[in-house]
Amino acid sequence: SQQGEEDPQALSIQEGENATMNCSYKTSINNLQWYRQNSGRGLVHLILIRSNEREKHSGRLRVTLDTSKKSSSLLITASRAADTASYFCATALRSNDYKLSFGAGTTVTVRA
Amino acid sequence: DAGITQSPRHKVTETGTPVTLRCHQTENHRYMYWYRQDPGHGLRLIHYSYGVKDTDKGEVSDGYSVSRSKTEDFLLTLESATSSQTSVYFCAISGTEGNGELFFGEGSRLTVL
């Protein structure tokens, strides 16, 4: 079964607005990562946050992690049409593990 | 862009035929992965490799086998394709010690009729 689940499944916003999506997971993690996938393409890594970190920024992206609630959020500020994509969270388990477990993703549509 | 090439990019085959998908990397990364992506399921891990000749199963490994005879190549084989294996297959690589950032290929779309 999937370790992480994103919410909402789909999101439609106006250009310039902020987009927020959430990821919940089930077991303790070593780190949590967010990826973006444009239609018909492979996934691209956006940001990695470790279990001992609470917030991380990268350009217009802000990621938070709450290990007590087993949840993370990805905020995209001042969205652009080019941000239209699917976004996935992926978790790396605390155990000595080489694998990432992905959620089903949030599809974001940014309207011009 | 990470040097990952998947082949073929598109394939249509019939039920019961064998299929091999190839992932080739030029990054000399240790870890290689095969995922499948289906609507509503996100990406699910099929098999992964942590070194030459070192492979292990993921969560949906039934019906699939893999081989890694050299660092740069990771092959995924469907011995006898079924319609349930119609999917988009992604190869990914990682150079860091376990659970680090993954670099993905562009995917191989397989249709089993």
Side-chain angles (χ1 to χ4, degrees), chain B residues 45-99:
Chain B
L45 182 64
I46 305 171
H47 281 281
Y48 65 101
S49 171
Y50 46 96
V52 174
K53 296 193 187 329
D54 292 322
T55 65
D56 205 348
K57 296 178 180 180
E59 61 180 307
V60 290
S61 60
D62 287 348
Y64 302 94
S65 62
V66 290
S67 66
R68 191 171 179 197
S69 59
K70 45 187 178 177
T71 300
E72 56 266 36
D73 288 326
F74 192 32
L75 304 180
L76 177 70
T77 298
L78 292 65
E79 299 290 347
S80 178
T82 67
S83 59
S84 65
Q85 294 176 311
T86 291
S87 187
V88 181
Y89 292 86
F90 285 97
C91 174
I93 64 175
S94 175
T96 54
E97 186 63 37
N99 52 56

Side-chain angles (χ1 to χ4, degrees), chain B residues 15-63:
Chain B
T15 297
T17 60
V19 175
T20 295
L21 305 179
R22 181 185 184 228
C23 178
H24 178 77
Q25 60 144 330
T26 58
E27 306 296 320
N28 201 34
H29 281 351
R30 178 181 176 188
Y31 304 98
M32 299 186 75
Y33 306 82
W34 277 108
Y35 285 89
R36 61 177 289 175
Q37 184 176 32
D38 304 287
H41 288 279
L43 277 80
R44 292 179 292 175
L45 182 64
I46 305 171
H47 281 281
Y48 65 101
S49 171
Y50 46 96
V52 174
K53 296 193 187 329
D54 292 322
T55 65
D56 205 348
K57 296 178 180 180
E59 61 180 307
V60 290
S61 60
D62 287 348

Side-chain angles (χ1 to χ4, degrees), chain A residues 57-112:
Chain A
H57 296 256
S58 177
R60 294 183 295 111
L61 305 180
R62 172 178 170 252
V63 169
T64 62
L65 179 64
D66 187 334
T67 53
S68 67
K69 295 181 180 177
K70 292 188 171 59
S71 67
S72 173
S73 67
L74 171 66
L75 168 67
I76 305 172
T77 60
S79 63
R80 307 166 181 169
D83 295 327
T84 293
S86 293
Y87 293 82
F88 296 86
C89 70
T91 51
L93 299 183
R94 183 171 295 279
S95 60
N96 184 17
D97 199 351
Y98 309 123
K99 307 185 293 290
L100 287 184
S101 179
F102 286 80
T106 293
T107 299
V108 175
T109 302
V110 181
R111 306 185 307 273

